[in-house]
Structures are given as structure tokens and as C-alpha cells.
């Protein structure tokens, strides 16, 4: 009996010890978990605080109002040429200089659009072309278009603010603002006109807009649901507007539908980042009154500018190993492929993409060596 009692006592003691040990281990684990939670929460709070400080330095957050802001954009003046190198153009006149502001952005159609527009502007005397390109660096291909035209020009790299990079609106505002800033600091007189790179414009309109005293307006074709956007004229004065999207705007007009005398460009003139209201808010910021508007294009009965648009081209990726087509035998073809890539019309990749075929005598080949 004593032995049995002793054994039972040992078993009870062991169970008690084992239970106490498990409790101790459990308590230790719980304390470790709680400590980890506290450290984790503190780390999250610290990271959040540091992020807010970092964003504040960038200008994204303003701690005084906690309002979201856009990151300040640094525009880059790429090149300015005041020389008119068009031999056939006689610029020895008293005509007012037209400052033709063109916002643009990199895409496969960019260079064809600018090339086409340049061949219109090459026929216009006393014009200075201001191109503001939506990218952070100066584009060589854009500069080449400007130089080949022979037109006096200003080339600006004006990237869209970071806040608007997630979508494509509002379009061209950063570019136009950059161009306006350059004009304010460098120009005292002349005519300001916003012309997109895909617009089509009659040469007659340039001669008419030079007569602008404050703000002139005229119809724009191929725009909106009415096919045209224009002021309505009564007794030689603007009596209203014909536009398919009124949008609660004071001046419901298209960007290509007005010109401004630079002497009337006040210090308060600005263009907001509000999609659809860029034109209206800009004209309102000038202090413009409806009775001040000067109708052109035969009292707004002629359409001399059109908001044409080029069909979007889906940029392909071609699987081509350029190092395999070097040498004099394939030099011309290699140069063509490089030019296509340079102008942004195709991406050349040695490892992925569409594998192009060569056609000769109604047959297709995968390699140039098969036919050359």
C-alpha cells in the first residue's frame, strides 16, 4: 500500500509539474506574441509617419490642410531658334508674329502628325512654333522635325504631373501651361494660338487672326455632336454659342477656336487641370467679356480649322536580332528597322514579339540570308 501510495503521489506531482510547465511555456509564447504585435504596430506607425514626411517634402501632402497636391513638375527648355531658315519666305513685313502653341506626346503617330503640321506652317510668314512635349527629356526626333521645317521654334519638355499619370486627362494642360510660361517671360507682342498636332488649318485663318485686338473666335469643324463648334453672331457681335457640350461653361468653345493678342495676356491668365473646362477657365482668367470677342471667318460663317484625328496605331513588338543583320549586305534593312524603332512606330526585341517574315517571289522566308 505504501508503495502504491508513493507511486500515486509521484504521478500527481509529475502531472502538476507537467501542467505548470505547459502553462509557463504558453505564458511565454503569449508574451512573445504580444511583444511582436506591439513591435509590428509601432513599425507600421513609424513607416506611415516617415512616408507622410517624405510625401510632404515632395509636395504631395500639405499638413496644414491634408489636401492632395500634385508633384511640382520641372519643365525643361530644350532648344530655341529665332532664325527663320525658310529661303522662300519673305519675313520683311510688319505682320504680327503668331506664336503657334502645340502640345504633343510620344506615340507612334507623333512624328507623322508633326511632320504634316510643319508642312502647313512652312507656308505661314512671321510664325514661331512652340512645341511642348509631354515627356521629361528632350526628344531628338521632335527636334529634327522642328529643324527640318526651318521655322523659328521653341522646344520644351513638359511632362504631365504625376497625379494625372494614371489616366489621360486633362490632356495637354501641362504642355500649354509650360508654353504660356515661356511666352510670359520672352514675348511682349504678337498673337497666341493653341493648335494641336492633329488639327487641320486653312492658311487663310492665319492672316485673319493677325488682326486680333483682344480675343478673336471662329468655327471649328469635326468637333462634338453637332459637327461644328462656333460662336453665334448677331449684328457683328457674339450673341451665343453653338456647341454640343455646354458644360455650364461661360465660353463653350474648342481650344482651336480662338486666338489671343499677347498684349491682352494678363498676369492672372491660367489654364486649370479640369478636363473639359480648360478653354473656358483660361478665357475667364483673361477677364474676357462676351462683348469683347471679335468674330472672324466672315462672321463665323466659314470653317477654316478642323479637329481632325488620326486613327490610333497599335505599336507592335518585332522579334528581330539586329546583331544578326549587321554588315554591308543588310545595312539598308538594318537602318530601316532602327529608324522605325527610333520614331516610335515599333519596338524591336531580340527575345520576344512577332517574328517577321521576308517575302520574295510570292514566298515567305524567316531569314534574310535565304533571299539575299
Amino acid at each position: 500500500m505504501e508503495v502504491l501510495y508513493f507511486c500515486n503521489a509521484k504521478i500527481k506531482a509529475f502531472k502538476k509539474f507537467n501542467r505548470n510547465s505547459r502553462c509557463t511555456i504558453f505564458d511565454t509564447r503569449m508574451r512573445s506574441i504580444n511583444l511582436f504585435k506591439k513591435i509590428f504596430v509601432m513599425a507600421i506607425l513609424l513607416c506611415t509617419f516617415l512616408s507622410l514626411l517624405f510625401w510632404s517634402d515632395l509636395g504631395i501632402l500639405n499638413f496644414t490642410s491634408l489636401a492632395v497636391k500634385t508633384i511640382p513638375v520641372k519643365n525643361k527648355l530644350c532648344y530655341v531658334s529665332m532664325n527663320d531658315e525658310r529661303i522662300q519666305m519673305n519675313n520683311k513685313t510688319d505682320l504680327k508674329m503668331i506664336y503657334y502653341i502645340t502640345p504633343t506626346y510620344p506615340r507612334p503617330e507623333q512624328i507623322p502628325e508633326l511632320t504634316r503640321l510643319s508642312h502647313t506652317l512652312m507656308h505661314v510668314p512671321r510664325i514661331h512654333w512652340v512645341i511642348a512635349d509631354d515627356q521629361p527629356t528632350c526628344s531628338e526626333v521632335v527636334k529634327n522635325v522642328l529643324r527640318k521645317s526651318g521655322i523659328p521654334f521653341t522646344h520644351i519638355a513638359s511632362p504631365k504631373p504625376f497625379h494625372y499619370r494614371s489616366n489621360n486627362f486633362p490632356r495637354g494642360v501641362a504642355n500649354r501651361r509650360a508654353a504660356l510660361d515661356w511666352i510670359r517671360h520672352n514675348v511682349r507682342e504678337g498673337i497666341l494660338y493653341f493648335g494641336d498636332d492633329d488639327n487641320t488649318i486653312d492658311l487663310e485663318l492665319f492672316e485673319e487672326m493677325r488682326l486680333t485686338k483682344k480675343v478673336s473666335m471662329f468655327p471649328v469643324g469635326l468637333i462634338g455632336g453637332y459637327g461644328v463648334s462656333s460662336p453665334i453672331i448677331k449684328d457683328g457681335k457674339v450673341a451665343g454659342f453653338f456647341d454640343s457640350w455646354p458644360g455650364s461653361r461661360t465660353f463653350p468653345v474648342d481650344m482651336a477656336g480662338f486666338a489671343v493678342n499677347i498684349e491682352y495676356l494678363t498676369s492672372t491668365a491660367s489654364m486649370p487641370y479640369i478636363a473639359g473646362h480648360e478653354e473656358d477657365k483660361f478665357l475667364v482668367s483673361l477677364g474676357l467679356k462676351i462683348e469683347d470677342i471679335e468674330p472672324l471667318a466672315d462672321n463665323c460663317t466659314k470653317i477654316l480649322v478642323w479637329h481632325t484625328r488620326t486613327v490610333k496605331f497599335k505599336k507592335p513588338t518585332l522579334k528581330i536580332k539586329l546583331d544578326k543583320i549587321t554588315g554591308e549586305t543588310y545595312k539598308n534593312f538594318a537602318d530601316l528597322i532602327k529608324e522605325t524603332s527610333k520614331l516610335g512606330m515599333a519596338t524591336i526585341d531580340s527575345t520576344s514579339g512577332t517574328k517577321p517574315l521576308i517575302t520574295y517571289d510570292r514566298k515567305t522566308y524567316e531569314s534574310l540570308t535565304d533571299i539575299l
Side-chain angles (χ1 to χ4, degrees):
M1 290 293 293
E2 290 181 357
V3 173
L4 182 60
Y5 177 80
F6 177 77
C7 289
N8 289 336
K10 292 284 285 183
I11 291 171
K12 288 180 180 180
F14 176 79
K15 287 182 177 180
K16 183 177 180 181
F17 173 79
N18 193 36
R19 185 168 58 252
N20 291 338
S21 298
R22 287 200 301 269
C23 290
T24 302
I25 294 171
F26 179 78
D27 290 340
T28 303
R29 288 179 177 175
M30 287 301 297
R31 283 196 295 270
S32 299
I33 291 172
N34 289 334
L35 180 61
F36 176 79
K37 287 181 178 179
K38 291 178 181 179
I39 293 173
F40 181 77
V41 171
M42 290 177 65
I44 292 294
L45 292 174
L46 181 61
C47 289
T48 302
F49 178 73
L50 292 175
S51 297
L52 290 174
L53 287 178
F54 177 71
W55 291 343
S56 177
D57 289 339
L58 287 178
I60 299 176
L61 283 179
N62 179 357
F63 283 113
T64 59
S65 63
L66 290 180
V68 177
K69 290 186 175 182
T70 58
I71 297 177
V73 175
K74 289 187 177 180
N75 299 317
K76 183 176 182 180
L77 184 61
C78 301
Y79 200 87
V80 178
S81 173
M82 295 297 183
N83 299 324
D84 195 328
E85 299 175 359
R86 296 171 292 173
I87 299 174
Q88 80 283 4
M89 188 59 62
N90 180 12
N91 280 307
K92 295 180 180 179
T93 68
D94 295 328
L95 295 175
K96 287 184 178 179
M97 181 72 80
I98 294 175
Y99 290 87
Y100 195 99
I101 295 177
T102 300
T104 187
Y105 64 98
R107 63 196 190 281
E109 303 85 12
Q110 182 183 35
I111 301 307
E113 301 275 30
L114 291 174
T115 299
R116 181 173 56 189
L117 177 57
S118 73
H119 282 262
T120 296
L121 301 183
M122 285 166 66
H123 295 280
V124 182
R126 298 279 292 164
I127 191 165
H128 188 104
W129 196 5
V130 184
I131 284 189
D133 195 7
D134 186 4
Q135 54 181 316
T137 58
C138 300
S139 168
E140 281 296 319
V141 290
V142 170
K143 185 172 69 174
N144 288 341
V145 172
L146 288 164
R147 282 181 167 170
K148 285 176 66 176
S149 72
I151 303 168
F153 69 87
T154 297
H155 180 198
I156 306 171
S158 51
K160 185 188 298 182
F162 177 81
H163 181 64
Y164 298 107
R165 285 286 166 186
S166 59
N167 55 59
N168 205 26
F169 290 96
R171 299 175 183 175
V173 174
N175 315 94
R176 297 185 187 99
R177 286 165 67 110
L180 283 170
D181 187 61
W182 181 84
I183 285 177
R184 279 199 188 94
H185 289 87
N186 297 278
V187 180
R188 293 292 175 266
E189 59 181 13
I191 304 299
L192 168 71
Y193 180 72
F194 296 110
D196 291 350
D197 57 9
D198 58 355
N199 285 359
T200 302
I201 185 166
D202 192 307
L203 296 177
E204 182 183 340
L205 184 58
F206 290 102
E207 301 311 310
E208 291 203 26
M209 71 171 65
R210 292 186 202 274
L211 304 176
T212 303
K213 295 180 176 63
K214 288 185 177 180
V215 176
S216 60
M217 290 189 181
F218 31 87
V220 180
L222 298 178
I223 186 73
Y226 297 163
V228 65
S229 172
S230 175
I232 298 172
I233 309 304
K234 180 182 179 182
D235 299 328
K237 292 290 185 180
V238 175
F241 298 91
F242 185 72
D243 191 279
S244 62
W245 188 68
S248 299
R249 295 180 293 169
T250 304
F251 303 105
V253 295
D254 185 68
M255 192 68 73
F258 62 89
V260 179
N261 191 310
I262 291 175
E263 294 179 23
Y264 188 66
L265 194 65
T266 63
S267 59
T268 59
S270 63
M271 188 173 292
Y273 289 100
I274 305 175
H277 292 266
E278 301 95 321
E279 304 93 336
D280 179 51
K281 297 301 182 184
F282 171 73
L283 293 170
V284 169
S285 73
L286 295 175
L288 181 67
K289 305 297 181 184
I290 193 169
E291 57 267 23
D292 295 330
I293 300 172
E294 307 151 45
L296 300 182
D298 198 7
N299 273 329
C300 294
T301 60
K302 295 181 180 178
I303 299 175
L304 300 175
V305 59
W306 295 264
H307 204 285
T308 47
R309 293 180 178 88
T310 302
V311 176
K312 295 295 181 183
F313 176 77
K314 187 177 180 181
K315 185 177 178 180
T317 298
L318 303 181
K319 185 179 179 181
I320 299 177
K321 295 182 179 180
L322 282 174
D323 59 333
K324 299 294 184 181
I325 54 174
T326 55
E328 288 300 320
T329 306
Y330 313 119
K331 184 178 184 303
N332 290 343
F333 181 69
D335 289 346
L336 171 64
I337 296 301
K338 291 176 183 177
E339 180 74 358
T340 303
S341 175
K342 179 182 176 182
L343 296 179
M345 294 185 290
T347 299
I348 309 303
D349 195 298
S350 61
T351 59
S352 63
T354 302
K355 190 171 184 179
L357 299 174
I358 309 299
T359 303
Y360 176 74
D361 194 21
R362 296 187 296 173
K363 296 180 181 179
T364 55
Y365 303 87
E366 292 187 0
S367 174
L368 283 170
T369 56
D370 294 334
I371 61 173
L372 297 179

Coordinates of all heavy atoms in Angstrom, one line a residue, residues 268-332:
T268 N -2.9 87.2 -64.6 CA -3.8 86.2 -64.0 C -4.2 85.1 -64.9 O -4.9 84.2 -64.5 CB -5.1 87.0 -63.5 OG1 -5.8 87.6 -64.7 CG2 -4.8 88.0 -62.5
A269 N -3.8 85.2 -66.2 CA -4.2 84.1 -67.2 C -3.6 82.8 -66.7 O -2.4 82.6 -66.4 CB -3.7 84.5 -68.5
S270 N -4.5 81.8 -66.7 CA -4.1 80.5 -66.3 C -5.0 79.4 -66.9 O -6.1 79.7 -67.3 CB -4.1 80.3 -64.8 OG -5.4 80.5 -64.3
M271 N -4.5 78.2 -67.0 CA -5.3 77.1 -67.5 C -5.3 76.0 -66.5 O -4.3 75.4 -66.1 CB -4.7 76.6 -68.8 CG -5.6 75.6 -69.5 SD -4.9 75.1 -71.2 CE -5.2 76.7 -72.0
P272 N -6.5 75.6 -66.0 CA -6.6 74.7 -64.9 C -6.5 73.2 -65.4 O -6.8 72.9 -66.5 CB -8.0 75.0 -64.3 CG -8.8 75.4 -65.4 CD -7.8 76.1 -66.4
Y273 N -6.3 72.3 -64.4 CA -6.3 70.9 -64.7 C -7.7 70.4 -64.5 O -8.0 69.5 -63.6 CB -5.3 70.1 -63.8 CG -3.9 70.4 -64.1 CD1 -3.1 71.3 -63.4 CD2 -3.3 69.7 -65.2 CE1 -1.8 71.5 -63.7 CE2 -1.9 69.9 -65.5 CZ -1.2 70.8 -64.8 OH 0.1 71.0 -65.1
I274 N -8.7 70.9 -65.3 CA -10.0 70.5 -65.2 C -10.5 70.0 -66.6 O -10.7 70.9 -67.5 CB -11.0 71.6 -64.6 CG1 -10.5 72.1 -63.3 CG2 -12.4 71.1 -64.5 CD1 -11.2 73.3 -62.8
A275 N -10.7 68.7 -66.8 CA -11.0 68.2 -68.1 C -12.3 68.8 -68.6 O -13.3 68.8 -67.9 CB -11.1 66.7 -68.0
G276 N -12.2 69.3 -69.8 CA -13.4 69.9 -70.5 C -13.6 71.4 -70.2 O -14.4 72.0 -70.9
H277 N -12.9 71.9 -69.2 CA -13.0 73.3 -68.9 C -11.8 74.1 -69.1 O -11.7 75.3 -68.6 CB -13.5 73.4 -67.4 CG -14.9 72.9 -67.2 ND1 -16.0 73.7 -67.2 CD2 -15.3 71.7 -66.9 CE1 -17.1 73.0 -67.0 NE2 -16.7 71.8 -66.8
E278 N -10.8 73.5 -69.8 CA -9.5 74.2 -70.0 C -9.7 75.5 -70.8 O -9.2 76.6 -70.3 CB -8.5 73.3 -70.7 CG -8.2 72.0 -70.0 CD -9.1 70.9 -70.5 OE1 -10.3 71.1 -70.8 OE2 -8.6 69.7 -70.7
E279 N -10.4 75.5 -71.9 CA -10.6 76.7 -72.7 C -11.4 77.7 -71.9 O -11.0 78.9 -71.9 CB -11.4 76.3 -74.0 CG -10.7 75.2 -74.8 CD -11.2 73.9 -74.5 OE1 -11.8 73.6 -73.4 OE2 -11.2 73.0 -75.4
D280 N -12.5 77.3 -71.4 CA -13.4 78.3 -70.7 C -12.7 79.0 -69.5 O -12.7 80.2 -69.4 CB -14.6 77.5 -70.2 CG -15.6 78.4 -69.4 OD1 -15.9 79.5 -70.0 OD2 -16.0 78.1 -68.3
K281 N -12.0 78.2 -68.7 CA -11.4 78.8 -67.5 C -10.2 79.7 -67.9 O -9.9 80.7 -67.3 CB -10.9 77.7 -66.5 CG -12.0 76.8 -66.0 CD -13.0 77.7 -65.2 CE -14.0 76.8 -64.5 NZ -15.1 77.6 -63.8
F282 N -9.5 79.3 -69.0 CA -8.5 80.2 -69.5 C -9.0 81.5 -70.0 O -8.5 82.6 -69.6 CB -7.7 79.5 -70.6 CG -6.7 80.4 -71.3 CD1 -5.5 80.7 -70.7 CD2 -7.0 80.9 -72.6 CE1 -4.6 81.6 -71.4 CE2 -6.1 81.7 -73.3 CZ -4.9 82.0 -72.7
L283 N -10.1 81.5 -70.7 CA -10.7 82.7 -71.3 C -11.3 83.6 -70.1 O -11.1 84.8 -70.1 CB -11.8 82.4 -72.3 CG -11.2 81.8 -73.6 CD1 -12.4 81.3 -74.4 CD2 -10.4 82.8 -74.4
V284 N -11.9 82.9 -69.2 CA -12.4 83.6 -68.0 C -11.3 84.3 -67.2 O -11.4 85.4 -66.7 CB -13.2 82.7 -67.1 CG1 -13.5 83.4 -65.7 CG2 -14.5 82.3 -67.8
S285 N -10.1 83.6 -67.1 CA -9.0 84.2 -66.4 C -8.4 85.4 -67.0 O -7.7 86.2 -66.4 CB -7.9 83.1 -66.2 OG -7.2 82.9 -67.4
L286 N -8.7 85.6 -68.3 CA -8.3 86.8 -69.0 C -9.1 88.0 -68.7 O -8.8 89.1 -69.0 CB -8.3 86.6 -70.5 CG -7.4 85.5 -71.1 CD1 -7.6 85.4 -72.6 CD2 -5.9 85.9 -70.9
G287 N -10.3 87.8 -68.0 CA -11.2 88.8 -67.7 C -12.1 89.1 -69.0 O -12.6 90.3 -69.1
L288 N -12.2 88.2 -69.9 CA -12.9 88.4 -71.1 C -14.4 88.5 -70.9 O -15.0 87.8 -70.1 CB -12.6 87.2 -72.1 CG -13.3 87.3 -73.5 CD1 -12.7 88.4 -74.3 CD2 -13.1 85.9 -74.2
K289 N -15.0 89.5 -71.6 CA -16.4 89.7 -71.7 C -16.9 89.3 -73.1 O -16.2 89.4 -74.0 CB -16.8 91.1 -71.4 CG -16.2 91.7 -70.1 CD -16.8 90.9 -68.9 CE -16.2 91.5 -67.6 NZ -16.7 90.8 -66.4
I290 N -18.2 88.8 -73.1 CA -18.7 88.4 -74.4 C -18.7 89.5 -75.4 O -18.5 89.2 -76.6 CB -20.1 87.7 -74.2 CG1 -20.5 87.0 -75.5 CG2 -21.1 88.8 -73.9 CD1 -21.7 86.1 -75.3
E291 N -18.9 90.7 -75.0 CA -18.9 91.8 -76.0 C -17.5 92.2 -76.5 O -17.3 92.9 -77.5 CB -19.5 93.1 -75.3 CG -18.8 93.5 -74.0 CD -19.5 93.0 -72.8 OE1 -20.1 91.9 -72.9 OE2 -19.3 93.6 -71.7
D292 N -16.4 91.6 -75.8 CA -15.1 91.9 -76.3 C -14.6 90.9 -77.4 O -13.6 91.2 -78.1 CB -14.1 91.7 -75.1 CG -14.3 92.7 -74.0 OD1 -14.7 93.8 -74.4 OD2 -14.0 92.4 -72.9
I293 N -15.4 89.9 -77.7 CA -15.0 88.8 -78.6 C -15.1 89.4 -80.1 O -16.1 90.0 -80.4 CB -15.8 87.6 -78.5 CG1 -15.7 87.0 -77.1 CG2 -15.5 86.5 -79.5 CD1 -16.6 85.9 -76.8
E294 N -14.1 89.1 -80.8 CA -14.0 89.6 -82.2 C -14.2 88.4 -83.2 O -13.4 87.5 -83.2 CB -12.6 90.2 -82.5 CG -12.2 91.3 -81.6 CD -10.7 91.4 -81.4 OE1 -10.0 91.4 -82.5 OE2 -10.3 91.5 -80.3
P295 N -15.4 88.3 -83.8 CA -15.7 87.1 -84.7 C -14.9 87.2 -86.0 O -14.8 88.3 -86.6 CB -17.2 87.3 -85.0 CG -17.5 88.7 -84.7 CD -16.5 89.2 -83.7
L296 N -14.3 86.1 -86.4 CA -13.5 86.0 -87.6 C -14.2 85.1 -88.6 O -15.4 84.6 -88.3 CB -12.1 85.6 -87.4 CG -11.2 86.5 -86.5 CD1 -9.8 85.9 -86.4 CD2 -11.2 87.9 -87.0
A297 N -13.6 84.7 -89.7 CA -14.1 83.7 -90.6 C -15.4 84.2 -91.2 O -16.4 83.4 -91.2 CB -14.2 82.3 -90.0
D298 N -15.4 85.4 -91.7 CA -16.7 86.0 -92.3 C -17.8 85.9 -91.3 O -18.9 85.3 -91.6 CB -17.0 85.3 -93.6 CG -17.9 86.1 -94.5 OD1 -18.2 87.3 -94.1 OD2 -18.3 85.6 -95.5
N299 N -17.7 86.5 -90.1 CA -18.7 86.5 -89.1 C -19.1 85.0 -88.7 O -20.3 84.7 -88.5 CB -19.9 87.3 -89.5 CG -19.8 88.7 -89.1 OD1 -19.2 89.1 -88.2 ND2 -20.4 89.6 -90.0
C300 N -18.1 84.2 -88.6 CA -18.2 82.8 -88.2 C -19.2 82.0 -89.1 O -20.0 81.2 -88.7 CB -18.7 82.7 -86.8 SG -17.5 83.3 -85.6
T301 N -19.0 82.3 -90.4 CA -19.8 81.5 -91.4 C -18.9 80.5 -92.2 O -19.4 79.7 -92.9 CB -20.5 82.5 -92.4 OG1 -19.5 83.2 -93.1 CG2 -21.4 83.4 -91.7
K302 N -17.6 80.7 -92.0 CA -16.7 79.7 -92.7 C -16.0 78.9 -91.7 O -15.7 79.3 -90.6 CB -15.6 80.5 -93.5 CG -16.2 81.3 -94.6 CD -15.0 82.1 -95.3 CE -15.4 82.9 -96.5 NZ -14.3 83.6 -97.1
I303 N -15.7 77.6 -92.1 CA -14.9 76.7 -91.2 C -13.5 76.7 -91.8 O -13.3 76.2 -93.0 CB -15.5 75.3 -91.2 CG1 -16.9 75.4 -90.6 CG2 -14.6 74.4 -90.4 CD1 -17.6 74.1 -90.5
L304 N -12.5 77.2 -91.1 CA -11.1 77.3 -91.6 C -10.2 76.4 -90.7 O -9.0 76.4 -91.0 CB -10.7 78.7 -91.6 CG -11.5 79.7 -92.5 CD1 -11.0 81.1 -92.3 CD2 -11.4 79.3 -93.9
V305 N -10.7 75.7 -89.7 CA -9.9 74.8 -88.9 C -10.7 73.6 -88.5 O -11.9 73.8 -88.3 CB -9.3 75.5 -87.7 CG1 -10.4 76.1 -86.8 CG2 -8.4 74.6 -86.9
W306 N -10.1 72.5 -88.5 CA -10.8 71.2 -88.3 C -10.1 70.4 -87.2 O -8.9 70.4 -87.2 CB -10.9 70.4 -89.5 CG -11.8 71.0 -90.6 CD1 -13.1 70.7 -90.9 CD2 -11.3 71.9 -91.6 NE1 -13.5 71.5 -92.0 CE2 -12.4 72.2 -92.4 CE3 -10.1 72.5 -91.8 CZ2 -12.3 73.1 -93.5 CZ3 -10.0 73.4 -92.9 CH2 -11.1 73.7 -93.7
H307 N -10.9 69.8 -86.3 CA -10.3 69.0 -85.3 C -10.2 67.6 -85.8 O -10.9 66.6 -85.3 CB -11.2 69.1 -84.0 CG -10.5 68.8 -82.7 ND1 -10.1 67.5 -82.4 CD2 -10.0 69.6 -81.7 CE1 -9.5 67.5 -81.2 NE2 -9.4 68.8 -80.8
T308 N -9.3 67.4 -86.7 CA -9.1 66.0 -87.3 C -8.4 65.1 -86.3 O -7.6 65.6 -85.5 CB -8.3 66.1 -88.6 OG1 -7.2 67.0 -88.4 CG2 -9.1 66.7 -89.7
R309 N -8.6 63.8 -86.4 CA -7.9 62.9 -85.6 C -7.4 61.7 -86.4 O -8.2 61.2 -87.2 CB -8.9 62.4 -84.5 CG -9.4 63.4 -83.5 CD -10.3 62.8 -82.5 NE -10.7 63.8 -81.5 CZ -11.8 64.6 -81.6 NH1 -12.5 64.6 -82.7 NH2 -12.1 65.4 -80.6
T310 N -6.2 61.3 -86.1 CA -5.7 60.1 -86.7 C -6.1 58.8 -86.0 O -6.1 58.8 -84.8 CB -4.1 60.2 -86.8 OG1 -3.8 61.4 -87.5 CG2 -3.5 59.0 -87.5
V311 N -6.4 57.8 -86.7 CA -6.7 56.5 -86.1 C -5.5 56.0 -85.3 O -4.4 56.0 -85.8 CB -7.1 55.5 -87.1 CG1 -7.4 54.1 -86.5 CG2 -8.4 55.9 -87.9
K312 N -5.8 55.6 -84.1 CA -4.7 55.1 -83.2 C -4.0 53.8 -83.8 O -4.7 52.9 -84.2 CB -5.2 54.8 -81.8 CG -5.7 56.1 -81.1 CD -4.5 57.0 -80.8 CE -5.0 58.2 -80.0 NZ -3.9 59.2 -79.8
F313 N -2.7 53.8 -83.8 CA -2.0 52.7 -84.3 C -1.4 51.9 -83.1 O -0.7 52.5 -82.3 CB -0.8 53.2 -85.2 CG 0.1 52.1 -85.7 CD1 -0.3 51.3 -86.8 CD2 1.3 52.0 -85.2 CE1 0.5 50.3 -87.3 CE2 2.2 51.0 -85.7 CZ 1.8 50.2 -86.7
K314 N -1.7 50.6 -83.1 CA -1.2 49.8 -82.0 C 0.2 49.4 -82.3 O 0.6 48.8 -83.3 CB -2.0 48.5 -81.9 CG -1.7 47.7 -80.7 CD -2.5 46.4 -80.5 CE -2.1 45.6 -79.3 NZ -3.0 44.4 -79.1
K315 N 1.1 49.9 -81.4 CA 2.5 49.7 -81.6 C 2.9 48.2 -81.5 O 2.7 47.6 -80.4 CB 3.3 50.6 -80.6 CG 4.8 50.6 -80.8 CD 5.4 51.5 -79.7 CE 6.9 51.6 -79.8 NZ 7.5 52.5 -78.8
P316 N 3.5 47.6 -82.5 CA 3.9 46.2 -82.5 C 5.3 46.0 -81.9 O 6.1 46.9 -81.8 CB 3.9 45.8 -83.9 CG 4.3 47.0 -84.7 CD 3.7 48.2 -83.9
T317 N 5.5 44.8 -81.4 CA 6.8 44.4 -80.9 C 7.3 43.4 -81.9 O 6.7 42.3 -82.1 CB 6.8 43.8 -79.5 OG1 6.4 44.9 -78.6 CG2 8.2 43.4 -79.1
L318 N 8.5 43.6 -82.5 CA 9.0 42.7 -83.5 C 10.2 42.0 -82.9 O 11.1 42.6 -82.4 CB 9.5 43.5 -84.8 CG 8.4 44.3 -85.5 CD1 8.9 45.0 -86.7 CD2 7.2 43.4 -85.9
K319 N 10.2 40.7 -83.1 CA 11.3 39.9 -82.6 C 12.4 39.8 -83.7 O 12.4 39.0 -84.7 CB 10.9 38.4 -82.3 CG 11.9 37.6 -81.7 CD 11.4 36.2 -81.4 CE 12.5 35.3 -80.8 NZ 12.0 33.9 -80.5
I320 N 13.4 40.7 -83.6 CA 14.5 40.8 -84.6 C 15.8 41.0 -83.8 O 15.9 41.8 -82.9 CB 14.3 42.1 -85.5 CG1 13.0 41.9 -86.3 CG2 15.5 42.2 -86.4 CD1 12.7 43.2 -87.1
K321 N 16.7 40.2 -84.2 CA 18.1 40.3 -83.6 C 18.9 41.1 -84.5 O 19.4 40.7 -85.6 CB 18.7 38.9 -83.5 CG 18.0 38.0 -82.5 CD 18.6 36.6 -82.3 CE 17.9 35.8 -81.3 NZ 18.5 34.4 -81.1
L322 N 19.0 42.4 -84.2 CA 19.7 43.4 -85.0 C 21.2 43.0 -85.2 O 21.8 43.3 -86.3 CB 19.6 44.8 -84.4 CG 18.3 45.5 -84.7 CD1 18.3 46.8 -83.9 CD2 18.1 45.7 -86.1
D323 N 21.8 42.3 -84.2 CA 23.2 42.0 -84.4 C 23.4 40.9 -85.4 O 24.5 40.7 -85.9 CB 23.7 41.5 -83.0 CG 23.0 40.3 -82.5 OD1 21.8 40.1 -82.8 OD2 23.6 39.5 -81.7
K324 N 22.3 40.3 -85.9 CA 22.4 39.2 -86.9 C 22.3 39.8 -88.3 O 22.6 39.1 -89.3 CB 21.3 38.2 -86.7 CG 21.4 37.4 -85.4 CD 22.6 36.6 -85.3 CE 22.6 35.8 -84.0 NZ 23.9 35.0 -83.8
I325 N 21.9 41.1 -88.4 CA 21.7 41.7 -89.7 C 22.6 42.9 -89.9 O 22.3 43.9 -90.5 CB 20.3 42.1 -90.0 CG1 19.7 43.0 -88.9 CG2 19.4 40.8 -90.2 CD1 18.3 43.5 -89.2
T326 N 23.8 42.8 -89.3 CA 24.8 43.9 -89.5 C 25.6 43.6 -90.7 O 25.6 42.5 -91.3 CB 25.7 44.0 -88.2 OG1 26.3 42.7 -88.0 CG2 24.9 44.4 -87.0
G327 N 26.5 44.5 -91.0 CA 27.3 44.4 -92.2 C 26.7 45.1 -93.4 O 25.6 45.5 -93.4
E328 N 27.5 45.3 -94.4 CA 27.1 46.0 -95.6 C 26.0 45.3 -96.4 O 25.1 46.0 -97.0 CB 28.3 46.2 -96.6 CG 29.4 47.2 -96.1 CD 28.8 48.5 -95.9 OE1 28.0 49.0 -96.7 OE2 29.1 49.2 -94.9
T329 N 25.9 44.0 -96.3 CA 24.9 43.3 -97.1 C 23.5 43.7 -96.6 O 22.6 43.9 -97.5 CB 25.1 41.8 -96.9 OG1 26.4 41.4 -97.3 CG2 24.1 41.0 -97.8
Y330 N 23.3 43.8 -95.3 CA 22.0 44.1 -94.8 C 21.8 45.5 -94.2 O 20.9 45.7 -93.4 CB 21.6 43.0 -93.7 CG 21.9 41.6 -94.1 CD1 22.8 40.8 -93.4 CD2 21.3 41.0 -95.2 CE1 23.1 39.5 -93.8 CE2 21.5 39.7 -95.6 CZ 22.4 39.0 -94.9 OH 22.7 37.7 -95.2
K331 N 22.8 46.3 -94.5 CA 22.9 47.6 -93.8 C 21.6 48.5 -94.0 O 21.0 49.1 -93.1 CB 24.1 48.4 -94.3 CG 24.2 49.8 -93.6 CD 25.5 50.5 -94.1 CE 25.7 51.8 -93.3 NZ 24.5 52.7 -93.3
N332 N 21.1 48.5 -95.2 CA 19.9 49.3 -95.5 C 18.7 48.9 -94.7 O 17.9 49.7 -94.2 CB 19.6 49.3 -97.0 CG 20.6 50.0 -97.9 OD1 21.3 50.8 -97.3 ND2 20.6 49.8 -99.1

